[in-house]
């Protein structure tokens, strides 16, 4: 399947570290912006539906921005969620300087972890109106190692962390890309710092990771060729998510539409674009209705206030006239 490899927009530099120049590609010049935070290997235009989504949202007054973070490509093995959080802070700051007032964060694959982490630790959380997660389902059987080898690797990483060497690299034979012990445990361990979407979690455990979300949320899950959850597992997972997030949650499941291991959609680009656009349009309508309700309540309150003032004024005049009348009769 072909992917878009070019587009019209503005390339901006947003990092403050001269030794770590980070750039973002902005398409559109509007006050509302959807920021795409891709997975470890996505890169620019990593989503097959990017072009269609850009066209649809640009026509409705939304810009789209995709950015290069420290953790992209091989950088994922030594970067952390804290690094991505700092990068996203700098990106949003730069976009606000360009006039953007409202953001939607779309996290794809491991980018979904960045979104969740940012909503709890970001500097500009109040500027985020919606969040979207696509392909964030964690496969608990992803690590294809025999039990003894896996135990050895985890024991090695755990010992390094306990010895204060968590930022040092694991032995080369234990991972195809040089990876720190801390990152190894975070990416592969149950209840690791990046274990946000895991079907094996209890509702209480999942709430610790996603319970801080308080804004409208869209979750797009896709099934994988290798890792296919059962209908019961899917229903249980979505129920947990909707229970843990204290806001409007829209969940869509694209059965057979996506390979989570290879991180790309398979012919369902139009459906995803429709879901994202529909979600934003529906939430905008809901917000308009809430604002209208508040306006009507304010008008009603103002009218009641005016009525009370009028009644008090009328009563005061009546009392005054009565006093004058009484005084005249005494004379």
């Amino acid at each position: 399947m072909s992917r878009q490899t070019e587009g019209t927009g503005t390339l901006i530099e947003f990092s403050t570290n001269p030794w770590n120049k980070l750039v973002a590609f902005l398409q559109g010049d509007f006050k509302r912006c959807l920021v795409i935070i891709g997975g470890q290997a996505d890169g620019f235009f990593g989503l097959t539906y990017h072009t269609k989504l850009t066209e649809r949202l640009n026509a409705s007054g939304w810009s789209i921005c995709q950015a290069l973070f420290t953790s992209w490509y091989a950088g994922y093995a030594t970067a952390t969620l804290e690094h991505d959080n700092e990068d996203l802070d700098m990106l949003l700051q730069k976009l606000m300087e360009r006039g953007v007032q409202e953001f939607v964060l779309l996290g794809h694959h491991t980018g979904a972890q960045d979104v969740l982490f940012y909503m709890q630790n970001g500097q500009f959380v109040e500027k985020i109106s919606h969040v979207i997660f696509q392909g964030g389902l964690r496969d608990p059987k992803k690590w294809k190692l025999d039990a003894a080898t896996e135990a050895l690797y985890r024991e090695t990483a755990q010992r390094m962390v306990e010895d204060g060497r968590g930022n040092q690299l694991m032995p080369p034979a234990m991972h195809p890309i040089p990876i720190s012990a801390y990152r190894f445990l975070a990416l592969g361990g149950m209840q690791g710092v990046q274990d946000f979407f895991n079907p094996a979690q209890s509702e209480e455990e999942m709430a610790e990771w996603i319970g801080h979300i308080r804004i409208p949320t869209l979750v797009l899950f896709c099934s994988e060729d290798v890792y296919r959850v059962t209908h019961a597992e899917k229903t249980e997972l979505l129920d947990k998510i909707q229970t843990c997030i204290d806001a409007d949650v829209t969940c869509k499941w694209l059965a057979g539409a996506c390979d989570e291991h290879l991180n790309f959609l398979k012919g369902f680009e139009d459906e995803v674009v429709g879901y994202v656009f529909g979600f934003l349009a529906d939430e905008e309508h809901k917000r308009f209705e809430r604002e209208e309700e508040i306006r009507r309540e304010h008008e009603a309150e103002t009218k009641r206030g005016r009525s009370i003032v009028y009644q008090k004024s009328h009563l005061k005049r009546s009392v005054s006239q009565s006093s004058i009348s009484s005084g005249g009769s005494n004379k």
Side-chain angles (χ1 to χ4, degrees):
M1 183 185 339
S2 61
R3 297 190 184 202
Q4 179 194 10
T5 56
E6 61 182 26
T8 302
T10 303
L11 190 68
I12 58 177
E13 182 183 339
F14 64 90
S15 58
T16 57
N17 183 351
W19 303 106
N20 184 32
K21 292 185 178 294
L22 302 176
V23 295
F25 190 63
L26 178 65
Q27 294 175 278
D29 186 19
F30 304 101
K31 296 185 182 299
R32 301 181 298 177
C33 182
L34 184 145
V35 178
I36 297 175
I37 304 172
Q40 297 164 355
D42 282 353
F44 282 142
F45 302 105
L47 303 180
T48 57
Y49 54 85
H50 183 99
T51 303
K52 294 182 177 180
L53 184 61
T54 300
E55 293 173 351
R56 190 81 179 269
L57 293 186
N58 280 175
S60 301
W62 286 87
S63 300
I64 282 192
C65 184
Q66 48 188 326
L68 171 66
F69 283 177
T70 304
S71 63
W72 265 16
Y73 305 126
Y76 83 86
T78 53
T80 64
L81 287 171
E82 287 80 4
H83 290 140
D84 288 347
N85 194 82
E86 294 173 0
D87 293 346
L88 188 51
D89 270 339
M90 291 188 291
L91 174 61
L92 298 189
Q93 176 69 59
K94 177 63 70 172
L95 292 174
M96 285 188 291
E97 292 173 2
R98 297 178 62 89
V100 179
Q101 299 177 357
E102 176 185 347
F103 296 97
V104 172
L105 301 183
L106 188 160
H108 174 249
H109 208 250
T110 51
Q113 300 164 343
D114 284 330
V115 173
L116 283 168
F117 192 82
Y118 189 84
M119 291 305 299
Q120 195 167 29
N121 302 279
Q123 182 179 353
F124 305 110
V125 172
E126 74 281 357
K127 298 292 184 180
I128 313 300
S129 61
H130 308 71
V131 290
I132 301 172
F133 304 107
Q134 192 250 304
L137 181 60
R138 179 184 183 273
D139 181 355
K141 305 179 183 66
K142 181 179 179 180
W143 292 73
K144 298 177 175 60
L145 299 172
D146 61 81
T149 302
E150 181 177 353
L152 173 63
Y153 288 7
R154 294 188 191 282
E155 180 182 348
T156 301
Q158 188 64 49
R159 184 169 60 250
M160 291 175 64
V161 170
E162 292 173 353
D163 292 343
R165 297 182 292 120
N167 290 325
Q168 294 184 16
L169 300 179
M170 297 274 290
M174 294 187 174
H175 200 270
I177 294 176
I179 187 171
S180 68
Y182 172 82
R183 189 69 160 170
F184 183 89
L185 291 175
L187 289 173
M190 176 66 176
Q191 294 305 311
V193 296
Q194 298 195 15
D195 196 24
F196 291 116
F197 289 115
N198 188 331
Q201 288 180 328
S202 67
E203 185 175 302
E204 291 73 19
E205 291 168 337
M206 186 171 292
E208 293 181 9
W209 298 120
I210 68 176
H212 58 281
I213 301 296
R214 295 290 187 272
I215 57 177
T217 301
L218 172 64
V219 184
L220 298 172
F221 280 132
C222 311
S223 61
E224 180 190 350
D225 290 342
V226 177
Y227 177 47
R228 292 185 180 277
V229 297
T230 65
H231 178 75
E233 290 173 329
K234 176 185 69 175
T235 301
E236 182 180 3
L237 176 63
L238 298 186
D239 286 345
K240 289 178 185 177
I241 293 173
Q242 291 176 318
T243 300
C244 293
I245 296 179
D246 186 18
D248 291 340
V249 179
T250 303
C251 294
K252 301 293 183 181
W253 193 276
L254 302 174
C258 179
D259 187 325
E260 298 290 0
H261 183 65
L262 298 177
N263 305 340
F264 60 80
L265 286 166
K266 296 179 178 179
F268 280 68
E269 289 79 9
D270 290 337
E271 285 78 359
V272 172
V273 171
Y275 287 147
V276 172
F277 180 81
F279 167 69
L280 295 180
D282 289 345
E283 289 301 325
E284 185 173 1
H285 179 69
K286 291 178 184 177
R287 180 164 60 181
F288 174 78
E289 289 184 333
R290 286 193 294 267
E291 291 174 350
E292 278 294 296
E293 183 178 354
I294 293 174
R295 184 187 61 81
R296 289 193 295 267
E297 290 178 352
H298 178 71
E299 287 183 351
E301 187 66 28
T302 302
K303 289 180 179 179
R304 283 195 294 270
R306 290 174 179 172
S307 176
I308 292 173
V309 170
Y310 173 78
Q311 292 174 7
K312 288 183 177 179
S313 176
H314 180 70
L315 178 61
K316 184 176 182 180
R317 287 198 301 270
S318 298
V319 171
S320 298
Q321 291 173 358
S322 176
S323 298
I324 293 173
S325 176
S326 299
S329 62
N330 291 334
K331 288 181 179 181

